[in-house]
Amino acid sequence: MARILAVAPVLPEHAATQTQITAELADGVTDDDAARAVMQRIHAASGIETRHLALPLAEYRGIEGFTAANRLFAELALPLAERAVVAALAEAGLRVDEVDHLFFTTVTGLGAPSLDAQLATSLGFRSDLRRVPSFGLGCVAGAAGIARVADYLAGHPQGVALLVSVELCSLTLQWNDRSMANVVGTGIFGDGAAAVVMVGDAHPALHVSAEPRAHVVASRSALYPDSGEMIGWRIGESGFRLMLAAGVPALIDGHFAAAVDELLAEAGWSRAEVDEWIAHPGGPRVLESFSTALDLEPAALATSWAVLARAGNMSSAAVLHVLAEGGSRAAGTRGVLFALGPGVTAEIVLLEWS
């Protein structure tokens, strides 16, 4: 079993209130009073108070086209990822040259070589570092990354692995898209990054501290059929155009609880034995659907709601912020970490602190 030694969430330095963001975007996206009123109403209902941005809010209107936006991603995402990695390794008490495996994920910028290669060079990782860059998992990638790193460490019990997520959702802004998906998306997505340090069960670091560490008990992926147009991007000349269908909550209602219960049963757990539900804060309707499907009390997802209010939906990084927000847990704590993303794909991870 893989164990989590550290989780380091980071945010860009520029922050704006939801009201400020709505005012700036409403003026730029539409000149129609009725459409502006719809955007204001949807943004106000998001439960979000502030979002962090890669650039000062006023500078987004000056970005001309996908080439410029993607160039900014390369420039701005790297230092954010560096901050997360340095903080996570410091918390874990490990050096950069001890890292064997790097799973890197983003869905808001493109490059070849991918950003993880630049990260490995800038921070001085070993030349034999095993890199797995991921694009396309989207919001589910924080949960999927933990699961895939755990899969790697099962075969490398003395190994050290990093999961790094960096998402600059603000750079995907589509000024000329009047669709409801864009109206909703402009109201919920924010920028952020996170790094997670994980080690195999035989790593010496586990014997240094008596502090309980989360270990990955089991995981499950679920790809729902006929849902490929519900969440994701349409990538074209203008960059990333959001797909976000109204049917996502119904998909959660119809499928999600059964997948959770099956994984819990495989581990010999039940819902009543879960102490913490670590949900991707995809938006208010997503969180409400998770609560309804799993028959949870309102307080069960309080940490996810708090992260959503403070920073919005940071795609793959968001669930890692929720995991970090919980701080240290007592030995014996059982948690279920989960997210939904393009596909539509769900990823569910069982964690136990010991």
Side-chain angles (χ1 to χ4, degrees), residues 143-144 146-148 151 215-222 224 255-271 273-274 277-278 294 334-339 346-352:
I146 288 177
R148 300 296 81 78
D151 292 342
H215 71 263
V216 178
V217 175
S219 65
R220 167 167 293 200
S221 303
Y224 301 129
H255 297 277
F256 189 71
V260 170
D261 288 340
E262 288 171 7
L263 184 60
L264 290 172
E266 289 174 10
W269 298 5
S270 67
R271 283 195 221 171
E273 294 174 294
V274 176
W277 299 90
I278 305 165
L294 295 170
R334 290 178 170 178
V336 181
L337 182 148
F338 52 93
E347 193 79 32
I348 308 159
V349 183
L350 304 189
L351 301 173
E352 186 169 17

Side-chain angles (χ1 to χ4, degrees), residues 7 23-24 91 99 112 130 160 172 177-178 187 220 249 314 318 349:
V7 184
E24 178 71 16
E91 182 184 338
V99 178
R130 291 180 173 132
V160 177
T172 69
D177 183 359
R178 284 11 179 217
R220 167 167 293 200
M314 297 164 280
V349 183

Side-chain angles (χ1 to χ4, degrees), residues 173-323:
L173 179 61
Q174 300 288 301
W175 291 103
N176 297 319
D177 183 359
R178 284 11 179 217
S179 69
M180 185 56 65
N182 193 49
V183 169
V184 173
T186 58
I188 62 174
F189 286 103
D191 298 347
V196 182
V197 179
M198 298 172 63
V199 296
D201 262 358
H203 193 276
L206 295 174
H207 305 292
V208 174
S209 172
E211 180 182 348
R213 306 288 191 179
H215 71 263
V216 178
V217 175
S219 65
R220 167 167 293 200
S221 303
L223 178 62
Y224 301 129
D226 303 319
S227 60
E229 298 293 310
M230 285 192 170
I231 305 172
W233 297 128
R234 289 189 176 93
I235 301 176
E237 292 181 0
S238 65
F240 300 112
R241 181 169 176 165
L242 184 65
M243 295 188 298
L244 190 62
V248 173
L251 196 67
I252 295 172
D253 292 342
H255 297 277
F256 189 71
V260 170
D261 288 340
E262 288 171 7
L263 184 60
L264 290 172
E266 289 174 10
W269 298 5
S270 67
R271 283 195 221 171
E273 294 174 294
V274 176
D275 303 297
E276 187 173 356
W277 299 90
I278 305 165
H280 167 66
R285 291 192 66 194
V286 169
L287 287 177
E288 288 165 359
S289 296
F290 282 144
S291 292
T292 300
L294 295 170
D295 195 24
L296 299 177
E297 295 294 328
L301 301 184
T303 304
S304 296
W305 282 102
V307 169
L308 182 68
R310 186 173 64 250
N313 176 355
M314 297 164 280
S315 192
S316 65
V319 76
L320 305 179
H321 280 242
V322 178
L323 177 61

Side-chain angles (χ1 to χ4, degrees), residues 93-101 125-126 158-161 203:
L94 295 173
R95 303 184 312 273
V96 69
D97 63 358
E98 294 179 274
V99 178
D100 306 299
H101 180 80
F125 285 88
R126 298 196 319 263
Q158 293 189 332
V160 177
H203 193 276

Side-chain angles (χ1 to χ4, degrees), residues 8-12 79-81 83-85 87 165 191-195 314 317 321:
V10 298
L11 294 166
L80 202 62
R83 279 177 51 200
V85 170
S165 159
D191 298 347
M314 297 164 280
H321 280 242

